[in-house]
Short mmCIF file of all heavy atoms in Angstrom, two decimals:
data_model
loop_
_atom_site.label_atom_id
_atom_site.label_comp_id
_atom_site.label_asym_id
_atom_site.label_seq_id
_atom_site.Cartn_x
_atom_site.Cartn_y
_atom_site.Cartn_z
N MET A 1 -12.76 -13.85 0.78
CA MET A 1 -12.20 -13.65 2.13
C MET A 1 -13.18 -12.78 2.97
O MET A 1 -13.76 -11.88 2.54
CB MET A 1 -10.89 -12.88 2.06
CG MET A 1 -9.73 -13.76 1.40
SD MET A 1 -8.13 -12.88 1.34
CE MET A 1 -7.74 -13.06 3.18
N PRO A 2 -13.14 -13.10 4.17
CA PRO A 2 -13.97 -12.28 5.12
C PRO A 2 -13.46 -11.11 5.47
O PRO A 2 -12.29 -10.73 5.29
CB PRO A 2 -14.18 -13.21 6.35
CG PRO A 2 -12.82 -13.97 6.40
CD PRO A 2 -12.48 -14.25 4.91
N ASP A 3 -14.31 -10.09 6.06
CA ASP A 3 -13.84 -8.86 6.49
C ASP A 3 -13.13 -9.00 7.88
O ASP A 3 -13.47 -9.87 8.67
CB ASP A 3 -14.94 -7.90 6.61
CG ASP A 3 -15.44 -7.51 5.23
OD1 ASP A 3 -14.71 -7.70 4.20
OD2 ASP A 3 -16.54 -6.92 5.11
N TYR A 4 -12.26 -8.16 8.07
CA TYR A 4 -11.60 -8.14 9.46
C TYR A 4 -11.78 -6.79 10.09
O TYR A 4 -11.91 -5.81 9.29
CB TYR A 4 -10.12 -8.50 9.19
CG TYR A 4 -9.88 -9.92 8.82
CD1 TYR A 4 -9.81 -10.24 7.53
CD2 TYR A 4 -9.62 -10.91 9.80
CE1 TYR A 4 -9.59 -11.55 7.17
CE2 TYR A 4 -9.48 -12.26 9.46
CZ TYR A 4 -9.39 -12.61 8.10
OH TYR A 4 -9.17 -13.87 7.79
N GLU A 5 -11.65 -6.80 11.32
CA GLU A 5 -11.75 -5.53 11.98
C GLU A 5 -10.31 -5.07 12.36
O GLU A 5 -9.46 -5.84 12.69
CB GLU A 5 -12.50 -5.71 13.35
CG GLU A 5 -13.99 -5.77 13.11
CD GLU A 5 -14.74 -5.78 14.48
OE1 GLU A 5 -14.19 -5.36 15.51
OE2 GLU A 5 -15.85 -6.34 14.55
N PHE A 6 -10.21 -3.72 12.10
CA PHE A 6 -8.80 -3.17 12.32
C PHE A 6 -9.02 -1.98 13.15
O PHE A 6 -10.12 -1.39 13.41
CB PHE A 6 -8.15 -2.77 10.98
CG PHE A 6 -7.91 -3.99 10.18
CD1 PHE A 6 -8.78 -4.32 9.18
CD2 PHE A 6 -6.64 -4.63 10.29
CE1 PHE A 6 -8.43 -5.44 8.31
CE2 PHE A 6 -6.37 -5.70 9.50
CZ PHE A 6 -7.30 -6.12 8.57
N PHE A 7 -7.96 -1.47 13.74
CA PHE A 7 -8.03 -0.33 14.44
C PHE A 7 -6.82 0.57 14.21
O PHE A 7 -5.72 0.17 14.25
CB PHE A 7 -7.97 -0.70 15.99
CG PHE A 7 -8.12 0.56 16.90
CD1 PHE A 7 -9.36 1.07 17.24
CD2 PHE A 7 -6.86 1.12 17.45
CE1 PHE A 7 -9.35 2.12 18.10
CE2 PHE A 7 -7.00 2.22 18.35
CZ PHE A 7 -8.24 2.75 18.65
N CYS A 8 -7.13 1.80 13.81
CA CYS A 8 -5.92 2.69 13.54
C CYS A 8 -5.53 3.41 14.80
O CYS A 8 -6.21 4.13 15.39
CB CYS A 8 -6.36 3.68 12.41
SG CYS A 8 -4.94 4.82 11.95
N THR A 9 -4.30 3.21 15.10
CA THR A 9 -3.80 3.81 16.42
C THR A 9 -3.56 5.30 16.09
O THR A 9 -3.27 6.04 17.13
CB THR A 9 -2.52 3.14 16.75
OG1 THR A 9 -1.54 3.25 15.77
CG2 THR A 9 -2.81 1.65 17.18
N LYS A 10 -3.52 5.67 14.97
CA LYS A 10 -3.23 7.21 14.65
C LYS A 10 -4.55 7.83 14.62
O LYS A 10 -4.68 9.04 15.34
CB LYS A 10 -2.58 7.31 13.33
CG LYS A 10 -2.20 8.66 13.07
CD LYS A 10 -1.44 8.80 11.71
CE LYS A 10 -1.14 10.12 11.31
NZ LYS A 10 -0.30 10.84 12.28
N CYS A 11 -5.60 7.35 14.03
CA CYS A 11 -6.86 7.98 14.05
C CYS A 11 -7.74 7.68 15.29
O CYS A 11 -8.83 8.25 15.41
CB CYS A 11 -7.60 7.56 12.75
SG CYS A 11 -6.81 8.04 11.33
N LYS A 12 -7.28 6.70 16.00
CA LYS A 12 -7.98 6.12 17.08
C LYS A 12 -9.51 5.71 16.54
O LYS A 12 -10.40 5.98 17.33
CB LYS A 12 -8.23 7.22 18.21
CG LYS A 12 -6.97 7.92 18.66
CD LYS A 12 -6.01 6.98 19.38
CE LYS A 12 -4.86 7.63 19.86
NZ LYS A 12 -3.88 6.77 20.53
N GLN A 13 -9.42 4.99 15.59
CA GLN A 13 -10.72 4.67 15.03
C GLN A 13 -10.69 3.25 14.44
O GLN A 13 -9.90 2.95 13.66
CB GLN A 13 -11.13 5.66 13.87
CG GLN A 13 -12.47 5.48 13.37
CD GLN A 13 -12.73 6.57 12.30
OE1 GLN A 13 -12.69 7.70 12.70
NE2 GLN A 13 -13.34 6.28 11.20
N PRO A 14 -11.76 2.47 14.80
CA PRO A 14 -11.72 1.13 14.20
C PRO A 14 -12.45 1.17 12.74
O PRO A 14 -13.28 2.09 12.48
CB PRO A 14 -12.71 0.42 15.25
CG PRO A 14 -13.59 1.48 15.75
CD PRO A 14 -12.76 2.71 15.75
N PHE A 15 -12.14 0.20 11.99
CA PHE A 15 -12.70 0.14 10.71
C PHE A 15 -12.63 -1.28 10.24
O PHE A 15 -11.94 -2.05 10.74
CB PHE A 15 -12.00 1.01 9.73
CG PHE A 15 -10.54 0.68 9.37
CD1 PHE A 15 -10.18 -0.09 8.35
CD2 PHE A 15 -9.57 1.15 10.24
CE1 PHE A 15 -8.89 -0.43 8.16
CE2 PHE A 15 -8.20 0.86 10.06
CZ PHE A 15 -7.91 -0.03 8.98
N THR A 16 -13.43 -1.63 9.29
CA THR A 16 -13.51 -2.94 8.75
C THR A 16 -13.02 -2.95 7.38
O THR A 16 -13.31 -2.12 6.51
CB THR A 16 -14.88 -3.39 8.79
OG1 THR A 16 -15.49 -3.35 10.09
CG2 THR A 16 -15.07 -4.92 8.37
N SER A 17 -12.20 -3.89 7.01
CA SER A 17 -11.62 -3.88 5.79
C SER A 17 -11.30 -5.35 5.30
O SER A 17 -11.15 -6.23 6.23
CB SER A 17 -10.41 -3.04 5.63
OG SER A 17 -9.79 -3.23 4.42
N HIS A 18 -11.15 -5.50 4.04
CA HIS A 18 -10.59 -6.76 3.53
C HIS A 18 -9.07 -6.67 3.75
O HIS A 18 -8.53 -5.66 3.88
CB HIS A 18 -10.79 -6.92 2.03
CG HIS A 18 -12.24 -7.17 1.71
ND1 HIS A 18 -12.85 -8.48 1.96
CD2 HIS A 18 -13.19 -6.41 1.28
CE1 HIS A 18 -14.19 -8.40 1.53
NE2 HIS A 18 -14.33 -7.17 1.13
N MET A 19 -8.55 -7.84 3.92
CA MET A 19 -7.08 -7.94 3.97
C MET A 19 -6.48 -8.02 2.56
O MET A 19 -6.95 -8.70 1.71
CB MET A 19 -6.75 -9.20 4.73
CG MET A 19 -6.61 -8.99 6.22
SD MET A 19 -5.87 -10.30 7.03
CE MET A 19 -5.46 -9.59 8.57
N HIS A 20 -5.46 -7.20 2.45
CA HIS A 20 -4.66 -7.23 1.24
C HIS A 20 -3.46 -8.02 1.44
O HIS A 20 -2.64 -7.79 2.25
CB HIS A 20 -4.29 -5.88 0.74
CG HIS A 20 -5.52 -4.91 0.65
ND1 HIS A 20 -6.41 -5.11 -0.32
CD2 HIS A 20 -5.93 -3.91 1.38
CE1 HIS A 20 -7.29 -4.11 -0.16
NE2 HIS A 20 -7.13 -3.46 0.80
N ILE A 21 -3.17 -8.92 0.60
CA ILE A 21 -1.96 -9.69 0.62
C ILE A 21 -0.93 -9.14 -0.36
O ILE A 21 -1.11 -9.06 -1.48
CB ILE A 21 -2.29 -11.19 0.25
CG1 ILE A 21 -3.30 -11.79 1.23
CG2 ILE A 21 -0.98 -11.99 0.30
CD1 ILE A 21 -3.76 -13.22 0.97
N LYS A 22 0.16 -8.71 0.22
CA LYS A 22 1.14 -8.04 -0.57
C LYS A 22 2.14 -9.08 -0.92
O LYS A 22 2.02 -10.33 -0.87
CB LYS A 22 1.85 -7.06 0.32
CG LYS A 22 0.82 -5.87 0.74
CD LYS A 22 1.51 -4.83 1.54
CE LYS A 22 2.34 -3.86 0.65
NZ LYS A 22 2.86 -2.78 1.47
N GLU A 23 3.16 -8.62 -1.59
CA GLU A 23 4.10 -9.47 -2.29
C GLU A 23 4.71 -10.54 -1.32
O GLU A 23 4.79 -11.66 -1.71
CB GLU A 23 5.32 -8.58 -2.87
CG GLU A 23 4.78 -7.79 -3.95
CD GLU A 23 5.83 -6.81 -4.47
OE1 GLU A 23 6.98 -7.07 -4.07
OE2 GLU A 23 5.61 -5.80 -5.15
N HIS A 24 5.03 -10.04 -0.26
CA HIS A 24 5.74 -10.96 0.76
C HIS A 24 4.83 -11.61 1.72
O HIS A 24 5.22 -11.90 2.76
CB HIS A 24 6.84 -10.13 1.51
CG HIS A 24 7.84 -9.43 0.63
ND1 HIS A 24 8.76 -10.09 -0.10
CD2 HIS A 24 7.98 -8.04 0.21
CE1 HIS A 24 9.50 -9.20 -0.79
NE2 HIS A 24 8.89 -8.05 -0.59
N ASP A 25 3.64 -11.80 1.26
CA ASP A 25 2.61 -12.57 1.90
C ASP A 25 2.40 -11.80 3.25
O ASP A 25 2.12 -12.35 4.34
CB ASP A 25 3.13 -14.01 2.16
CG ASP A 25 1.91 -14.84 2.68
OD1 ASP A 25 0.74 -14.57 2.09
OD2 ASP A 25 2.12 -15.76 3.40
N GLU A 26 2.45 -10.53 3.22
CA GLU A 26 2.27 -9.71 4.40
C GLU A 26 0.83 -9.20 4.31
O GLU A 26 0.41 -8.53 3.47
CB GLU A 26 3.21 -8.53 4.44
CG GLU A 26 3.10 -7.69 5.62
CD GLU A 26 4.05 -6.53 5.53
OE1 GLU A 26 4.76 -6.40 4.55
OE2 GLU A 26 4.08 -5.70 6.46
N ARG A 27 0.06 -9.49 5.30
CA ARG A 27 -1.29 -9.12 5.31
C ARG A 27 -1.40 -7.74 6.03
O ARG A 27 -1.18 -7.62 7.21
CB ARG A 27 -2.16 -10.17 6.16
CG ARG A 27 -2.27 -11.40 5.23
CD ARG A 27 -2.77 -12.55 6.10
NE ARG A 27 -3.08 -13.75 5.32
CZ ARG A 27 -2.11 -14.63 4.83
NH1 ARG A 27 -0.89 -14.42 5.46
NH2 ARG A 27 -2.32 -15.64 4.19
N VAL A 28 -1.80 -6.81 5.28
CA VAL A 28 -2.10 -5.51 5.87
C VAL A 28 -3.36 -4.94 5.52
O VAL A 28 -3.99 -5.36 4.51
CB VAL A 28 -0.90 -4.53 5.38
CG1 VAL A 28 0.48 -4.94 5.85
CG2 VAL A 28 -0.98 -4.39 3.89
N ALA A 29 -3.68 -3.82 6.20
CA ALA A 29 -4.96 -3.10 5.87
C ALA A 29 -4.52 -1.62 5.91
O ALA A 29 -3.81 -1.22 6.70
CB ALA A 29 -6.01 -3.42 6.92
N GLU A 30 -5.28 -0.94 5.09
CA GLU A 30 -5.05 0.51 4.91
C GLU A 30 -6.20 1.26 5.71
O GLU A 30 -7.33 1.06 5.48
CB GLU A 30 -4.85 0.97 3.51
CG GLU A 30 -4.46 2.38 3.38
CD GLU A 30 -4.38 2.63 1.95
OE1 GLU A 30 -3.43 2.45 1.22
OE2 GLU A 30 -5.47 3.20 1.39
N CYS A 31 -5.77 2.20 6.53
CA CYS A 31 -6.76 3.00 7.14
C CYS A 31 -7.40 3.92 6.08
O CYS A 31 -6.76 4.45 5.33
CB CYS A 31 -6.06 3.82 8.16
SG CYS A 31 -7.20 4.96 9.04
N PRO A 32 -8.83 3.83 6.09
CA PRO A 32 -9.49 4.67 5.13
C PRO A 32 -9.36 6.19 5.37
O PRO A 32 -9.70 7.06 4.55
CB PRO A 32 -10.98 4.26 5.25
CG PRO A 32 -10.98 3.72 6.68
CD PRO A 32 -9.64 3.13 7.02
N LYS A 33 -8.81 6.59 6.50
CA LYS A 33 -8.78 7.99 6.79
C LYS A 33 -7.33 8.57 6.47
O LYS A 33 -7.22 9.47 5.74
CB LYS A 33 -9.14 8.25 8.28
CG LYS A 33 -10.54 8.45 8.53
CD LYS A 33 -10.78 9.15 9.82
CE LYS A 33 -12.15 9.63 9.85
NZ LYS A 33 -12.47 10.57 11.06
N CYS A 34 -6.35 7.86 7.09
CA CYS A 34 -4.98 8.48 6.89
C CYS A 34 -4.23 7.60 5.89
O CYS A 34 -3.16 7.96 5.55
CB CYS A 34 -4.27 8.46 8.34
SG CYS A 34 -3.95 6.90 8.99
N HIS A 35 -4.79 6.47 5.43
CA HIS A 35 -4.16 5.76 4.42
C HIS A 35 -2.81 5.20 4.79
O HIS A 35 -1.85 4.94 4.01
CB HIS A 35 -4.07 6.53 3.10
CG HIS A 35 -5.49 6.79 2.59
ND1 HIS A 35 -6.28 5.93 1.97
CD2 HIS A 35 -6.05 8.13 2.47
CE1 HIS A 35 -7.46 6.70 1.62
NE2 HIS A 35 -7.32 7.90 1.97
N ARG A 36 -2.66 4.92 6.06
CA ARG A 36 -1.45 4.38 6.50
C ARG A 36 -1.71 2.83 6.82
O ARG A 36 -2.87 2.44 7.07
CB ARG A 36 -1.06 5.07 7.80
CG ARG A 36 -0.44 6.34 7.73
CD ARG A 36 -0.19 7.00 9.15
NE ARG A 36 0.36 8.35 8.86
CZ ARG A 36 1.65 8.59 8.99
NH1 ARG A 36 2.49 7.65 9.31
NH2 ARG A 36 2.17 9.72 8.85
N THR A 37 -0.64 2.18 6.75
CA THR A 37 -0.82 0.74 7.08
C THR A 37 -0.05 0.47 8.37
O THR A 37 -0.32 -0.65 9.08
CB THR A 37 -0.27 -0.10 6.02
OG1 THR A 37 1.15 0.23 5.72
CG2 THR A 37 -1.04 0.11 4.71
N LYS A 38 0.91 1.23 8.66
CA LYS A 38 1.88 0.86 9.81
C LYS A 38 1.11 1.25 11.21
O LYS A 38 1.54 0.75 12.25
CB LYS A 38 3.09 1.60 9.74
CG LYS A 38 3.89 1.12 8.51
CD LYS A 38 5.27 1.45 8.61
CE LYS A 38 6.10 0.83 7.43
NZ LYS A 38 7.58 1.15 7.48
N SER A 39 0.23 1.96 11.11
CA SER A 39 -0.55 2.44 12.40
C SER A 39 -1.85 1.55 12.60
O SER A 39 -2.64 1.91 13.42
CB SER A 39 -0.82 3.90 12.30
OG SER A 39 -1.72 4.12 11.26
N VAL A 40 -1.94 0.55 11.81
CA VAL A 40 -3.11 -0.28 11.89
C VAL A 40 -2.95 -1.58 12.64
O VAL A 40 -1.96 -2.31 12.31
CB VAL A 40 -3.69 -0.44 10.42
CG1 VAL A 40 -4.82 -1.60 10.51
CG2 VAL A 40 -4.13 0.75 9.70
N GLU A 41 -3.76 -1.74 13.60
CA GLU A 41 -3.66 -3.01 14.28
C GLU A 41 -4.79 -3.92 13.90
O GLU A 41 -5.95 -3.33 13.66
CB GLU A 41 -3.68 -2.81 15.76
CG GLU A 41 -2.50 -2.01 16.27
CD GLU A 41 -2.75 -1.85 17.77
OE1 GLU A 41 -3.75 -2.01 18.30
OE2 GLU A 41 -1.62 -1.42 18.52
N LYS A 42 -4.55 -5.17 13.81
CA LYS A 42 -5.68 -6.14 13.49
C LYS A 42 -6.43 -6.47 14.79
O LYS A 42 -5.87 -6.71 15.83
CB LYS A 42 -5.06 -7.34 12.84
CG LYS A 42 -6.18 -8.40 12.43
CD LYS A 42 -5.51 -9.53 11.68
CE LYS A 42 -6.61 -10.42 11.23
NZ LYS A 42 -7.31 -11.13 12.48
N ARG A 43 -7.67 -6.44 14.61
CA ARG A 43 -8.58 -6.86 15.64
C ARG A 43 -9.19 -8.18 15.30
O ARG A 43 -9.58 -8.38 14.22
CB ARG A 43 -9.58 -5.80 15.89
CG ARG A 43 -9.20 -4.65 16.72
CD ARG A 43 -10.32 -3.83 17.13
NE ARG A 43 -10.07 -3.00 18.30
CZ ARG A 43 -10.89 -2.26 18.90
NH1 ARG A 43 -12.20 -2.21 18.49
NH2 ARG A 43 -10.62 -1.54 19.91
N ILE A 44 -9.24 -8.99 16.32
CA ILE A 44 -9.94 -10.26 16.03
C ILE A 44 -11.47 -10.15 16.31
O ILE A 44 -11.85 -9.78 17.35
CB ILE A 44 -9.32 -11.36 17.00
CG1 ILE A 44 -7.78 -11.53 16.77
CG2 ILE A 44 -10.03 -12.64 16.79
CD1 ILE A 44 -7.14 -12.37 17.75
N SER A 45 -12.14 -10.44 15.24
CA SER A 45 -13.58 -10.26 15.26
C SER A 45 -14.22 -11.60 15.26
O SER A 45 -13.66 -12.61 14.82
CB SER A 45 -14.05 -9.37 14.14
OG SER A 45 -13.73 -10.06 12.96
N SER A 46 -15.50 -11.59 15.55
CA SER A 46 -16.40 -12.80 15.46
C SER A 46 -15.68 -13.90 16.15
O SER A 46 -15.65 -15.08 15.78
CB SER A 46 -16.72 -13.10 14.13
OG SER A 46 -15.49 -13.48 13.41
N VAL A 47 -15.05 -13.69 17.33
CA VAL A 47 -14.57 -14.67 18.22
C VAL A 47 -15.32 -14.73 19.51
O VAL A 47 -15.46 -13.83 20.13
CB VAL A 47 -13.11 -14.56 18.45
CG1 VAL A 47 -12.53 -15.63 19.41
CG2 VAL A 47 -12.23 -14.54 17.14
N ASN A 48 -15.75 -15.88 19.70
CA ASN A 48 -16.68 -16.03 20.89
C ASN A 48 -15.65 -16.39 22.06
O ASN A 48 -15.44 -17.62 22.40
CB ASN A 48 -17.69 -17.15 20.70
CG ASN A 48 -18.69 -16.67 19.58
OD1 ASN A 48 -19.06 -15.53 19.55
ND2 ASN A 48 -18.92 -17.76 18.78
N VAL A 49 -15.35 -15.45 22.68
CA VAL A 49 -14.38 -15.64 23.74
C VAL A 49 -15.29 -15.50 25.12
O VAL A 49 -15.96 -14.55 25.45
CB VAL A 49 -13.31 -14.48 24.01
CG1 VAL A 49 -12.39 -14.67 25.16
CG2 VAL A 49 -12.52 -14.42 22.58
N MET A 50 -15.29 -16.60 25.86
CA MET A 50 -16.02 -16.69 27.01
C MET A 50 -15.13 -16.42 28.21
O MET A 50 -14.25 -17.28 28.69
CB MET A 50 -16.60 -18.16 27.19
CG MET A 50 -17.52 -18.48 25.96
SD MET A 50 -18.96 -17.57 25.82
CE MET A 50 -20.03 -18.43 26.99
N THR A 51 -15.25 -15.24 28.68
CA THR A 51 -14.43 -14.86 29.82
C THR A 51 -15.13 -15.19 31.07
O THR A 51 -16.27 -14.70 31.28
CB THR A 51 -14.02 -13.50 29.72
OG1 THR A 51 -15.18 -12.58 29.57
CG2 THR A 51 -13.06 -13.25 28.56
N SER A 52 -14.51 -15.89 31.98
CA SER A 52 -15.18 -16.25 33.24
C SER A 52 -14.66 -15.43 34.27
O SER A 52 -14.42 -15.78 35.41
CB SER A 52 -14.95 -17.63 33.47
OG SER A 52 -13.65 -17.96 33.48
N LYS A 53 -14.39 -14.16 33.95
CA LYS A 53 -13.84 -13.23 35.00
C LYS A 53 -14.83 -12.81 35.99
O LYS A 53 -14.63 -12.64 37.25
CB LYS A 53 -13.19 -12.09 34.47
CG LYS A 53 -11.71 -12.29 33.93
CD LYS A 53 -11.04 -11.00 33.47
CE LYS A 53 -9.59 -11.35 33.03
NZ LYS A 53 -8.98 -10.20 32.56
N LYS A 54 -16.14 -12.59 35.48
CA LYS A 54 -17.15 -12.20 36.43
C LYS A 54 -17.59 -13.38 37.24
O LYS A 54 -17.25 -14.53 36.80
CB LYS A 54 -18.32 -11.59 35.50
CG LYS A 54 -17.95 -10.24 35.04
CD LYS A 54 -19.14 -9.58 34.35
CE LYS A 54 -18.76 -8.15 33.84
NZ LYS A 54 -19.85 -7.54 33.12
N SER A 55 -18.47 -13.10 38.05
CA SER A 55 -19.04 -14.22 39.00
C SER A 55 -17.94 -14.97 39.56
O SER A 55 -17.21 -14.96 40.29
CB SER A 55 -19.97 -15.10 38.20
OG SER A 55 -19.14 -15.95 37.53
ZN1 ZN B 1 -5.78 6.23 10.40
#
């Protein structure tokens, strides 16, 4: 599985982690600092989003 980018809203810090699939097929990641999972938001990485807001 690829790595995903996450962001801990408690530590205000992004981190990269593998996703852990728990019993109920719930994909979570644990913050390496505070070891919480509920304060972690998943970030979408490696997505080529072409925003045409400029120009
Ligand atoms: Zn944290």
